[in-house]
Amino acid sequence: MGAYRFPRGVMVRELAQIDVDAGTADSFEAAVGRAVALFDATAGCTGIRLYRSVEVPNRYWLVVEWGTIDQHTEFRNSPTFGHWRVLVGEFFAASPVVEHLDQVVLGF
C-alpha cells in the first residue's frame, strides 16, 4: 500500500516549541489541560496535543490542528488567545517558536 498524498491546505497544524522555567512543568501541564476548553470552543480548531521532550525535560511541543491558517490567525487576534496566554504565559522561559505545517504524506 502506497502513501497517501494530501492536497495542500486541507488542514494546517500549528507546531509550537515551548520551553518552560525549571520547576514549573507540572503547573504548566495543568494549565494547558485547563486551556483545552478554550481551543475546543474556537471555530476551526479540530484538536490540541501537548508533548514533553524526553531529552530536554523543560521543553514541550504543542500541536494544534486548524481547518485553515486563517482560522489560527483569527484565534491569535481574539480575546480567547489572551485567555490562553494568561493561563500559560507565566511559565514560558522564552517566547514560543511557532511554525505551521501542511501534511503532505500519510504513512501508516
Side-chain angles (χ1 to χ4, degrees):
M1 180 173 166
Y4 176 77
R5 290 188 56 81
F6 282 83
R8 294 192 188 276
V10 169
M11 181 177 18
V12 173
R13 284 185 176 82
E14 168 193 2
L15 177 65
Q17 176 186 313
I18 302 172
D19 292 339
V20 300
D21 292 321
T24 66
D26 290 342
S27 297
F28 173 70
E29 291 173 16
V32 173
R34 289 190 300 276
V36 167
L38 296 175
F39 287 88
D40 188 38
T42 299
C45 184
T46 60
I48 180 174
R49 291 171 183 79
L50 182 67
Y51 300 91
R52 187 174 185 178
S53 173
V54 173
E55 291 80 15
V56 184
N58 290 331
R59 176 166 294 157
Y60 289 86
W61 296 94
L62 179 72
V63 180
V64 185
E65 296 174 345
W66 299 96
T68 67
I69 198 165
D70 290 340
Q71 289 169 324
H72 177 230
T73 301
E74 289 171 14
F75 169 73
R76 292 283 310 241
N77 295 322
S78 74
T80 305
F81 180 76
H83 294 247
W84 155 252
R85 290 306 289 257
V86 166
L87 284 171
V88 300
E90 68 180 282
F91 305 108
F92 294 171
S95 294
V97 177
V98 178
E99 293 185 38
H100 296 93
L101 310 173
D102 253 343
Q103 183 168 325
V104 296
V105 174
L106 175 63
F108 55 92

